[in-house]
Structures are given as structure tokens and as C-alpha cells.
Amino acid sequence: MSTSHVVVVGAGPVGLTAALTLARRGVTVTVLEEGAELAAESRASTFHPPTLEMLDALGVAGTLLERGIVAPTFQYRDRRGGEIATLDLAVLAQDTAFPFRVQCEQSRLTPILLAALPPEVEVRFGHRVRDCVPGPDSVRVDTDHVSLHADWVIGADGAHSAVRRAIGARFDGTTYPERFLVASVDEDLDAALPGIAPINYVFDPDEWLVLLRTPQHWRVLLPTPADTPDEGEAARLPERLRGVADLGRPWRILHSSLYRVHQRVTDRFRVGRVLLMGDAAHVNNPLGGLGMNSGIHDAVAMCTALADVVDGASDEVLSAAARRRRVVAVDHVQRTSHDNWSRLRADDGAEHDRLRALAADPVAARSYLRRACLIDSLS
């Protein structure tokens, strides 16, 4: 059994998946989390088939399935004309034991992962990382409370990663021209919009939108101008929701948030004994639900390679895994998410016809869904 010590910075889905992957291989792990407890925000809410396979191998998929909603289909819709095409993930049955997506907020996964960690994994809340200083044989991590020395450090501490900044890794990319407004609503949208799927991408050149079902509510994602006052956008949200479906009364809004969206990737996922993964390494727009899923894939792939190195494999195994995950982030995740954004803005009957033909052709649908659900990214 390994005696190496790994410090994981960040107790989100990626950091806790990393910790669980390492702990199951006998690696000593300490998790440092800036917050006083696990984050409660909804944020990501879609789990793709290969992510479910990975979580199943870690022993936590069953509980996630119990707490989530199985989504066997998703839809492309037109704002003015209704359903364009419904894609059925059953065509992936030969590729995965989980030919569906699961709708469940990431804040419901993290307690499951935390509970699955063995007792010897120490999770320290309220520990903000101030500095990370790599050396040839170890890494020093300074927090508000203590300095730790580890054999390896994993930065899974989000888009504003203190670990990434400390090691001087770049985070290049672009910012989208509009902000994204996400509203959680206490409404029965199945009744308001008959025939919708649990996941819906709604085309419109002026105001596209996304409708997502979660266990507790529906989420509505709307594009919003880049430079308008936040309070003004909050004030006109009820009117915008009425434009989605007129309920004859104001929608019941539980929560809303407005944020800028970026496509960025760090230049290196590995810097010596420091690994970057998830949002600390790459961020993209949320269309298609690729961010959290690819971050979990980072954690499983890179931590499996790290455990192999700790057990005596060549160091190149880890370097190769880090390089591969960066290629996936750039060539697959960012490209696909940006294509999704471009598609929703299109006012193109030919694109609608293409999607209808795709849904009607199981071979073409399987090929499309393998990419959309990140199966091909793991090949």
C-alpha cells in the first residue's frame, strides 16, 4: 500500500472524485476546502453516461440515481414552432450500461462522495489556500491556518484557482458577448409546455433558452446583454419567463443568478508535482452539460494515472494522462459547447431538417450522441 500523501484543493465534485479515486488505491489524501461546508448552489445538473459509469465504479452511482431524475431523451425545440427533434439515448445501449442522462444538481452529488470517503481521508473545511510552492520532491501548501507538505497537489479549486495562480499557469481564452441568466422556478412546465423532455434546447436567433428538469424544480437559462444593470435584468425576469410560457400569473421564481461565461484553458494540466483539473484547468459555456462531467473525467483519468505512478509505473504515464485531458478540453469539450451555443442562435430551417433526419436515423443518432455525451472523448 502506498505511503504517498496527496493534498486535494477543493471539495466540489471534481476534488472529491479525485480524493475517492486515490483513496480507493491506498493513497493518503487530505482535502482542503475554502468554504465552511460543502457548496449548496445548484450549478451543474446533468450527468452523462460515461460519468455515471465512473461513479458506479466508485460505488456512488446507485445513490445518485435514487436522488436524481433519469432522462432517457432530450429535445431540440423552436421558440415559435415547438418540437424540432427528440433524441433518444437508448441508441447508446451497445456503448454503455447507462444509456441515459441523470438530472441532479451537483450539490446532491458532493455529500454522496463525501460520505463514501474512507475514514482515513481528512477533509478540512475553512482552509483557504494562500500559496502552493512546488519543489523537486514535494509541494508546500500554505493555508490560512497551517502549512502542509505533500508529495503531490491537485488543484480542483475552480475557475479562480489559487493553485493555478500560485504555480503561474496561464488561463487563456475568450468571454462570450452575453451573460447567462439562470432561474430556478417552482412550476409544472410539463403542463405548461406539453410534450417537453427533461432537457430542452430551444432555438431562437433573438432569445434562445434552455429548460432543464431537476428533482426539486425546473431551471431556465436565458442569454442576457453584457452591459445592462443586474437589478434591471432581475426586474424584467418575470416578463421574460412569461414569454416562455404564459401561465396567466407570474411565475414562482425560487432563485436566479446572472454570470459571465468564458471559454478558457490552462496551458498545462501538470506542472511538476501539481495537477490541475476541472474548472481550475478549463471552463466552457454550460450548453450540453460538459463542464462538470469532463472535470470528473479529468479526476478519474489523472488520479488513476497518479496512483499508478505512486505504485511504481513510469512518470510518463501521468504526463500522458495530463496531456490527453488537455487535448480533450480543447478539441472536444470547448469545441462541442461552442457549437451548441452557435446552433441555438441559428435561424436556419436547414439545421432543423438536419436534426429531424438525425433523430430518425439510429446510426447517425448514435454517432452524434457518442460525441454529445462525451463517450468519444474517452476513446
Side-chain angles (χ1 to χ4, degrees):
M1 182 172 289
S2 165
T3 58
S4 287
H5 178 214
V6 177
V7 167
V8 175
V9 182
V14 176
L16 292 178
T17 298
L20 184 55
T21 300
L22 291 167
R24 287 170 64 93
R25 290 286 299 272
V27 177
T28 301
V29 181
T30 300
V31 180
L32 303 176
E33 166 56 39
E34 178 178 350
E37 56 189 10
L38 294 175
E41 295 91 348
S42 294
R43 301 181 68 185
S45 62
T46 295
F47 292 85
H48 288 299
T51 310
L52 297 172
E53 291 181 357
M54 293 177 189
L55 296 176
D56 188 48
L58 292 172
V60 298
T63 305
L64 180 68
L65 285 168
E66 292 172 0
R67 299 182 185 180
I69 295 172
V70 172
T73 63
F74 68 89
Q75 278 186 3
Y76 290 110
R77 301 177 64 86
D78 183 82
R79 186 78 182 257
R80 294 155 293 186
E83 178 186 353
I84 299 169
T86 297
L87 293 179
D88 190 340
L89 278 74
V91 297
L92 297 176
Q94 61 187 293
D95 303 297
T96 175
F98 299 91
F100 47 80
R101 295 180 179 181
V102 169
Q103 288 298 102
C104 189
E105 301 93 333
Q106 70 176 52
S107 58
R108 289 172 170 258
L109 172 65
T110 47
I112 299 171
L113 291 169
L114 185 65
L117 291 174
E120 57 268 23
V121 175
E122 184 180 12
V123 181
R124 302 185 184 185
F125 290 98
H127 278 254
R128 178 172 53 171
V129 170
R130 294 288 194 178
D131 202 2
C132 178
V133 184
D137 301 312
S138 65
V139 186
R140 192 187 80 232
V141 181
D142 299 331
T143 77
D144 290 337
H145 306 288
V146 69
S147 290
L148 298 175
H149 289 268
D151 297 289
W152 302 87
V153 167
I154 291 172
D157 49 340
H160 302 287
S161 171
V163 174
R164 187 188 65 243
R165 292 197 303 270
I167 63 174
R170 300 197 313 271
F171 203 41
D172 299 329
T174 60
T175 300
Y176 278 89
E178 70 262 84
R179 294 172 293 171
F180 283 23
L181 175 62
V182 179
S184 298
V185 300
D186 180 21
E187 298 293 352
D188 180 7
L189 296 190
D190 293 286
L193 297 167
I196 62 172
I199 304 165
N200 307 269
Y201 304 104
V202 185
F203 285 58
D204 189 270
D206 299 317
E207 189 179 71
W208 55 266
L209 62 108
V210 180
L211 302 172
L212 299 172
R213 182 77 172 95
T214 70
Q216 297 299 315
H217 51 253
W218 279 89
R219 298 173 73 183
V220 185
L221 188 156
L222 296 159
T224 301
D227 53 2
T228 55
D230 290 2
E231 59 271 17
E233 294 302 336
R236 75 185 188 100
L237 177 57
E239 177 186 354
R240 297 183 74 186
L241 292 174
R242 189 178 305 114
V244 175
D246 189 349
L247 305 181
R249 55 167 175 77
W251 286 45
R252 292 184 290 266
I253 301 171
L254 301 174
H255 178 264
S256 65
S257 59
L258 187 63
Y259 58 94
R260 296 193 180 278
V261 179
H262 310 274
Q263 298 270 93
R264 299 187 184 278
V265 62
T266 188
D267 53 328
R268 296 162 291 172
F269 281 28
R270 178 186 181 187
V271 179
R273 289 179 169 268
V274 178
L275 307 176
L276 299 172
M277 54 188 64
D279 285 356
H282 53 94
V283 294
N284 55 274
N285 80 58
L287 302 177
L290 305 180
M292 175 190 64
N293 284 271
S294 62
I296 289 174
H297 300 182
D298 292 343
V300 171
M302 293 169 70
C303 290
T304 298
L306 174 56
D308 288 343
V309 169
V310 168
D311 286 344
S314 167
D315 186 78
E316 174 57 22
V317 170
L318 180 56
S319 293
R323 289 194 299 269
R324 170 61 185 164
R325 291 310 303 169
R326 189 180 187 281
V327 169
V328 168
V330 174
D331 291 348
H332 192 107
V333 175
Q334 294 203 338
R335 183 174 297 174
T336 302
S337 64
H338 186 73
D339 287 349
N340 291 339
W341 175 78
S342 299
R343 181 181 294 115
L344 287 176
R345 295 158 54 89
D347 188 13
D348 184 355
E351 176 65 14
H352 295 189
D353 290 342
R354 186 187 74 83
L355 289 171
R356 292 187 185 100
L358 182 68
D361 182 344
V363 174
R366 175 179 172 242
S367 177
Y368 178 82
L369 289 171
R370 279 181 57 91
R371 182 168 182 84
C373 294
L374 293 172
I375 294 173
D376 280 349
S377 76
L378 301 170
S379 300

